[in-house]
Amino acid sequence: MTDKAQQAQQVKQAKQVQQARQSAHQNARPKQTSMYTRQLTLIICLIVFSMTLLGTSFLALSFRYQQNESQKAAERNISYISAYANSAISDGMTLSSQNFRSYLSSVAMISDSTILLCQPDGRILYATGSVLSEEFSIQGAYVPDWVVDQLMEKMTYSGTTTFNGLLPTECFVTGVPIVTYTIDPFTREQITSTTPLGILFVASDATAALTFLENTFQLFLVTAAAVLLVSILLPSLLLRESSHLG
């Protein structure tokens, strides 16, 4: 009886030890799950913050680069056109000359831009280019006074605008006055007139940069969603495997 009692006591103790281990394992699993949840939340927050910061910086730099390139192209075009215009006007050609307007039309077609030829008060004498609406003509309309005032004050204008709706889309616009010049017969220096005979504007469509920004943002969203999905699924699978092994 003594041996049987001892065996029964040992069996009872072994069951108690096993139950205690199972209870400790069950109590440790919620703690492990809670720790995993906190770590996963922290990782996701860091990923979201990093990708948001990186994406915002990349989109801002890309848009700024696209904007600068469009403005530089418009400035190059208007420098060539204004040099020709100043020379042609100085040689006696008028703003209403058909040859001069044909030249402007050809340049607008080649450079994929829009050119506005205006009087000194901002009245549009001739307009040609890709962004102009075919439904109505802006010839005879007036460029906003604040644009003309800024151009006459600084002798140049540069900005993103629609000219209060004259242009159907947002455009990068550059403007310069048309002036005449003469050559001093003694010093051979170029003397430029201080009274502009007209104003020249060159505009390039800004929607291309906005479209590029929109496509880049969509690509960023898809990439961010894929990274977040992987960061959630992979740790979940690892935790499930470790729980089975435990």
Side-chain angles (χ1 to χ4, degrees):
M1 291 294 295
T2 303
D3 294 339
K4 291 182 179 181
Q6 290 179 352
Q7 291 178 358
Q9 186 67 22
Q10 291 176 355
V11 170
K12 184 178 180 180
Q13 290 178 353
K15 289 182 178 181
Q16 290 177 350
V17 171
Q18 185 177 2
Q19 290 176 356
R21 290 179 178 177
Q22 291 178 353
S23 177
H25 181 69
Q26 292 176 356
N27 293 332
R29 181 172 297 177
K31 294 181 180 179
Q32 183 180 4
T33 304
S34 177
M35 182 179 298
Y36 160 75
T37 303
R38 290 197 298 269
Q39 292 177 351
L40 181 61
T41 303
L42 178 61
I43 292 174
I44 292 176
C45 291
L46 290 175
I47 292 175
V48 171
F49 174 76
S50 301
M51 294 197 67
T52 302
L53 183 62
L54 179 62
T56 303
S57 301
F58 176 75
L59 292 176
L61 290 174
S62 300
F63 179 74
R64 188 62 181 171
Y65 172 79
Q66 192 79 5
Q67 187 181 40
N68 289 338
E69 287 299 311
S70 298
Q71 289 179 342
K72 288 179 180 178
E75 290 173 358
R76 285 195 302 268
N77 292 335
I78 202 169
S79 65
Y80 299 144
I81 299 172
S82 62
Y84 172 82
N86 294 338
S87 176
I89 297 299
S90 299
D91 291 340
M93 186 179 293
T94 63
L95 297 180
S96 58
S97 170
Q98 186 61 39
N99 291 334
F100 182 52
R101 296 187 177 187
S102 298
Y103 169 78
L104 295 181
S105 179
S106 299
V107 172
M109 185 181 301
I110 294 172
S111 61
D112 193 23
S113 59
T114 298
I115 299 176
L116 305 180
L117 177 64
C118 307
Q119 291 179 340
D121 60 353
R123 184 174 181 271
I124 300 176
L125 298 176
Y126 181 68
T128 180
S130 57
V131 302
L132 296 178
S133 175
E134 297 181 356
E135 298 178 357
F136 62 96
S137 173
I138 62 174
Q139 186 170 333
Y142 283 84
V143 172
D145 293 337
W146 56 270
V147 176
V148 177
D149 294 340
Q150 180 178 337
L151 187 145
M152 292 303 179
E153 179 183 355
K154 300 181 179 180
M155 301 305 289
T156 185
Y157 170 81
S158 181
T160 303
T161 180
T162 63
F163 280 163
N164 293 345
L166 288 178
L167 301 176
T169 61
E170 287 281 341
C171 293
F172 302 120
V173 182
T174 303
V176 293
I178 300 176
V179 295
T180 59
Y181 64 86
T182 57
I183 303 298
D184 189 292
F186 301 100
T187 63
R188 309 305 299 175
E189 293 181 353
Q190 179 176 300
I191 303 175
T192 303
S193 173
T194 58
T195 303
L197 297 181
I199 301 175
L200 199 62
F201 291 102
V202 175
S204 57
D205 192 359
T207 57
L210 297 177
T211 302
F212 170 78
L213 186 65
E214 181 181 354
N215 294 335
T216 305
F217 181 71
Q218 292 176 354
L219 180 62
F220 166 74
L221 288 181
V222 173
T223 305
V227 171
L228 285 177
L229 185 62
V230 172
S231 64
I232 293 174
L233 291 180
L234 186 59
S236 300
L237 294 175
L238 294 177
L239 179 63
R240 181 178 299 177
E241 292 295 330
S242 63
S243 63
H244 288 326
L245 293 176

